[in-house]
Amino acid sequence: MVARNDDLLKNGQTCSSYVMFINDVMNVNDVIGAQNKNKVIIVTKSSQWRVHEYLANRKSQKIVNLIVIAKSEMEVNADEQPPYVLYTHKLYIDAIASSTHVVLTSWRNGRFTRPHLDLFPRKMAEGFAGHRFTVALVDQPPFIVKSGADANENIIWEGMEVRIVELLSKTLNFSIDFKEADNANILGSSDSVLKMVSEKKANIGISGIFVSSEVISTVDTSNMYYQDCAAFMTLTSTALPKYRAIMGPFHWTVWVCLTLVYLLAIFPLSFSDKHTLKPLLQNPQEMENMFWYVFGTFTNAFSFSRKESWTNSDKMATRIFIGFYWVFTIIISASYTGSIIAFVTLPVYPPTIDSTSQLLNGRYQIGTLDKGGWVNRFSNSTDPVVEKLMAEVDLVPTIEEGIKNVTKAFFWPYAFLGSKANLDYYIRTKFVPTGKRSSLHVSQECLTTYGVAIVYPKKSEYAHILSASLDRIVQSGLVNKMRADTEWVTVRSSTGTYLAANRGGKNSLVVEDRALTLEDTQGMFLLLLLGYIVGGASLLSEWFGGCLNLCKPKRTRDDSSIPSNPRSYNGLSPRQRFEKMKYVSTMVMVNMHMLKNVHESVSGPERREAEDLDRKIDELFDFEDVFGDKTNEIEDAN
């Protein structure tokens, strides 16, 4: 019995070639084991029939690039060197994976009988002759999707990797037997498939498997055909809160500048009209009236037409100020109106969680699957941010449970870590948002990237043929098409039905008008509520004589008060003198009227004297009219 020489295989991870001299060709695999890539040349004393038997045996299939050199049974002269025959094999010649020997050439008289011959021809170039391969898989969207069962209760498999394997089967002429891996709920999708393939219960393993050092040590992998990554899923909103619509169109710096303009514009306008600020400073309550005038220009409410209105001013400077100010206000009003319409009606997306630093600053609770390698995948990370973030991880059994935790988190925000392609598929197909503020978002920044590949049993003879064909599929861009086709078939709308274009027939996408809802207009209602609150507070203050009375101008002291000038204490006040003059003039007018009536009743010389007296009385009546007008003006001024 020949034992395996481990020292001979110590370079098994690199490309090596072997030349072996052995008595019995059947013992080759016991020495070097399976060799699916390395070239092996065997020189043996076995007979041709023994060599034929070996090349038809399953053992020889484990060595793909094989040459067996055996002595020919042909009789030659004693002085001639006997010829040596070079054999190889042809693999998968029928559906049961049989092999047969092939004579390459012979060495005779110091040369090959068939010159210019490739001693290591490509094996299985024509395919696998309808051989049946067992494919292990588990539901792992969008790579593998379990889409139901047929009439015979056979599972219908869909997905990007299913389409890839089906294309390979048509190209290389082999049939497929899909077999769901066992214990997927306990081990996880990747680990259950890897276990099945490593135990050689399946020829091919597909389930969106990430390539890592642990995977390579267990099974053989193809070249990475798709790049996926570990990303976070968080709760987000599709629109900013609409109560910000009132302030939203302008940045806070614009509002500060506008407030300063509308407050400070009072002084140049007042000074341009009066050429002095003394009336404004002596009567501060006019500041309120002027402010509402300025604010009225902003709201285009040009209804101030009283005598003291600035729009009625005859000063050129005031008119220039008002003109430029009016143009400025029109531009600001138009900008605000157009911006607030766009802000309310169009969807505006707020900032989303796309980096680990945002998760750390937001004090997010991180969750991930308790299987599939996600638990220990970041345990040895050298990044301090990742180390802090993954210090306390919440483990969940399924992705659906993780989505539930993200949407139902109350006391602290929750983020779920998983495959970006897988999370995106679950969000688009199995999560129905209840509103614009309960949407899910997958981070754009990846915590780490992974390559997805197809796996085979260790040193399987068909791995390099399938991998080479897979590389051609990737180079032709068919992988992207297969992913798009998978989404076209499997992705559903928010109502749980297929998209309109997927149902077939003449259905078309339905376009609906978007009406503003109460949620969209809540900012205006909140502003009105704020006005009622402030107005109610002012009403209560005025009702109970609160602090607003302090802002009213104080009344002058009554007549009984002692004036500040002691010299005027014994004299009449201006108001008292005015009232006394008015009383005296009234009494004089009354007496004059009575005297005129008496004069109209006399005649003769007394009549002429009466007419002279009447002319004097008329002059007094004219004085009465002038005095009355002046009196009214003085009263209006007071």
Side-chain angles (χ1 to χ4, degrees):
M1 187 70 181
V2 179
R4 179 173 299 184
N5 192 339
D6 294 333
D7 294 335
L8 185 65
L9 303 175
K10 63 181 181 180
N11 294 326
Q13 299 297 328
T14 60
C15 183
S16 304
S17 297
Y18 299 95
V19 178
M20 296 182 60
F21 297 87
I22 194 167
N23 290 326
D24 189 359
V25 70
M26 287 293 185
N27 296 327
V28 172
N29 293 71
D30 297 332
V31 179
I32 61 175
Q35 300 291 332
N36 62 336
K37 297 180 180 179
N38 298 327
K39 295 174 179 168
V40 179
I41 301 175
I42 301 172
V43 181
T44 181
K45 291 182 179 181
S46 300
S47 65
Q48 292 182 359
W49 309 111
R50 186 69 169 172
V51 172
H52 294 173
E53 181 184 1
Y54 171 72
L55 294 176
N57 193 286
R58 287 287 301 170
K59 291 183 178 181
S60 64
Q61 293 181 357
K62 301 301 180 183
I63 304 176
V64 178
N65 299 311
L66 174 65
I67 295 178
V68 179
I69 302 175
K71 186 178 180 180
S72 175
E73 300 294 338
M74 185 179 65
E75 296 181 358
V76 295
N77 298 328
D79 57 343
E80 292 183 5
Q81 183 180 4
Y84 287 85
V85 181
L86 281 68
Y87 297 93
T88 187
H89 49 23
K90 186 177 181 180
L91 306 178
Y92 290 89
I93 62 175
D94 54 25
I96 60 175
S98 301
S99 302
T100 186
H101 69 279
V102 177
V103 177
L104 292 173
T105 184
S106 62
W107 178 266
R108 186 176 183 181
N109 298 327
R111 62 185 179 86
F112 290 127
T113 57
R114 296 177 182 176
H116 310 292
L117 179 68
D118 185 5
L119 297 178
F120 295 95
R122 184 183 177 187
K123 305 296 176 65
M124 298 168 285
E126 298 177 357
F128 299 94
H131 179 67
R132 193 174 190 84
F133 284 107
T134 301
V135 180
L137 73 172
V138 174
D139 185 42
Q140 181 71 9
F143 306 101
I144 308 295
V145 180
K146 184 188 293 186
S147 59
D150 57 12
N152 298 324
E153 297 184 355
N154 296 321
I155 299 176
I156 300 176
W157 296 100
E158 185 57 74
M160 183 166 55
E161 289 186 334
V162 172
R163 291 174 177 265
I164 290 175
V165 173
E166 289 177 346
L167 180 59
L168 290 175
S169 68
K170 295 177 181 179
T171 305
L172 299 176
N173 189 18
F174 64 88
S175 58
I176 307 171
D177 181 18
F178 291 114
K179 186 175 182 180
E180 188 173 9
D182 300 328
N183 300 324
N185 295 331
I186 300 175
L187 300 176
S189 59
S190 299
D191 291 345
S192 60
V193 172
L194 291 174
K195 183 177 183 296
M196 191 171 178
V197 173
S198 62
E199 294 176 353
K200 298 184 179 179
K201 296 180 180 180
N203 305 106
I204 302 173
I206 54 176
S207 187
I209 300 174
F210 294 158
V211 178
S212 62
S213 58
E214 294 81 4
V215 173
I216 294 176
S217 64
T218 306
V219 295
D220 283 344
T221 64
S222 65
N223 294 328
M224 295 178 290
Y225 72 90
Y226 184 82
Q227 181 172 308
D228 197 3
C229 69
F232 291 96
M233 176 177 60
T234 55
L235 190 66
T236 186
S237 172
T238 58
L240 289 173
K242 294 304 179 183
Y243 62 81
R244 294 177 53 186
I246 300 299
M247 304 292 293
F250 289 158
H251 193 262
W252 66 269
T253 55
V254 178
W255 287 113
V256 171
C257 293
L258 285 177
T259 303
L260 293 177
V261 166
Y262 291 132
L263 289 178
L264 299 180
I266 296 173
F267 297 96
L269 288 172
S270 178
F271 185 83
S272 65
D273 185 39
K274 304 295 184 182
H275 289 183
T276 180
L277 292 177
K278 185 179 295 184
L280 189 64
L281 299 178
Q282 291 178 347
N283 196 12
Q285 60 267 22
E286 286 296 320
M287 293 281 291
E288 179 184 358
N289 298 330
M290 294 181 179
F291 171 79
W292 286 115
Y293 176 82
V294 175
F295 182 77
T297 59
F298 175 69
T299 56
N300 292 329
F302 293 100
S303 58
F304 298 90
S305 58
R306 295 183 62 183
K307 182 178 180 181
E308 297 298 325
S309 175
W310 291 327
T311 53
N312 296 329
S313 175
D314 57 351
K315 304 293 193 302
M316 182 60 66
T318 305
R319 294 183 177 182
I320 293 176
F321 274 128
I322 291 295
F324 278 93
Y325 183 76
W326 180 70
V327 174
F328 166 78
T329 301
I330 287 179
I331 296 174
I332 292 296
S333 301
S335 301
Y336 180 84
T337 304
S339 298
I340 199 171
I341 292 174
F343 189 90
V344 173
T345 58
L346 298 180
V348 181
Y349 294 90
T352 54
I353 302 298
D354 289 314
S355 64
T356 54
S357 58
Q358 290 177 307
L359 291 170
L360 189 61
N361 296 333
R363 300 183 180 277
Y364 275 77
Q365 171 67 47
I366 307 301
T368 188
L369 291 175
D370 58 357
K371 58 182 74 71
W374 290 100
V375 179
N376 301 321
R377 191 158 288 168
F378 306 98
S379 58
N380 297 324
S381 176
T382 57
D383 190 347
V385 177
V386 176
E387 185 178 357
K388 293 179 181 179
L389 198 63
M390 306 298 292
E392 297 181 1
V393 180
D394 180 40
L395 303 179
V396 296
T398 61
I399 296 179
E400 290 85 350
E401 189 69 22
I403 296 178
K404 180 180 178 181
N405 291 345
V406 172
T407 56
K408 300 298 183 181
F410 184 74
F411 292 104
W412 59 86
Y414 193 94
F416 183 77
L417 176 64
S419 167
K420 185 174 183 178
N422 190 225
L423 295 178
D424 182 69
Y425 178 87
Y426 269 89
I427 291 174
R428 297 174 62 185
T429 58
K430 298 186 179 183
F431 176 73
V432 179
T434 58
K436 292 184 292 183
R437 307 194 187 284
S438 60
S439 300
L440 295 175
H441 172 72
V442 179
S443 62
Q444 297 296 325
E445 179 181 318
C446 296
L447 189 61
T448 184
T449 57
Y450 295 105
V452 181
I454 298 176
V455 299
Y456 320 97
K458 203 70 175 174
K459 294 185 178 180
S460 55
E461 65 275 8
Y462 48 82
H464 68 287
I465 299 297
L466 296 177
S467 297
S469 299
L470 178 60
D471 292 341
R472 289 193 292 271
I473 291 175
V474 174
Q475 293 168 4
S476 63
L478 291 176
V479 173
N480 296 330
K481 180 182 181 301
M482 292 175 183
R483 181 182 181 184
D485 292 343
T486 301
E487 293 180 353
W488 181 268
V489 174
T490 59
V491 172
R492 299 172 181 264
S493 65
S494 60
T495 59
T497 59
Y498 286 109
L499 298 179
N502 294 346
R503 293 197 297 264
K506 298 182 179 180
N507 295 327
S508 59
L509 298 179
V510 179
V511 179
E512 297 180 356
D513 293 333
R514 182 182 182 275
L516 296 181
T517 62
L518 181 61
E519 185 180 11
D520 296 324
T521 57
Q522 61 180 320
M524 282 66 82
F525 287 98
L526 290 177
L527 183 65
L528 181 62
L529 178 61
L530 178 62
Y532 276 112
I533 293 175
V534 175
S538 177
L539 177 61
L540 291 176
S541 178
E542 294 175 353
W543 190 3
F544 293 104
C547 62
L548 294 181
N549 290 332
L550 300 177
C551 302
K552 295 181 178 179
K554 295 182 178 180
R555 297 181 178 273
T556 56
R557 295 181 181 272
D558 53 13
D559 299 337
S560 61
S561 61
I562 300 176
S564 58
N565 189 354
R567 291 178 298 178
S568 62
Y569 176 73
N570 296 326
L572 297 176
S573 64
R575 182 70 180 183
Q576 292 173 334
R577 288 197 300 271
F578 175 78
E579 294 291 341
K580 187 175 181 179
M581 290 176 60
K582 185 176 180 181
Y583 175 77
V584 172
S585 63
T586 302
M587 295 303 295
V588 170
M589 293 300 105
V590 171
N591 293 330
M592 290 299 179
H593 276 285
M594 294 175 63
L595 184 59
K596 184 176 181 180
N597 294 331
V598 173
H599 288 173
E600 290 178 354
S601 61
V602 298
S603 60
E606 293 83 4
R607 178 71 177 179
R608 287 193 298 271
E609 294 178 359
E611 289 177 354
D612 294 336
L613 184 59
D614 289 339
R615 286 194 299 272
K616 294 181 181 180
I617 292 174
D618 291 335
E619 291 177 359
L620 289 178
F621 281 132
D622 294 337
F623 172 75
E624 178 187 12
D625 295 335
V626 175
F627 183 80
D629 294 338
K630 292 299 182 179
T631 303
N632 292 334
E633 290 181 3
I634 294 174
E635 289 180 347
D636 292 339
N638 292 332

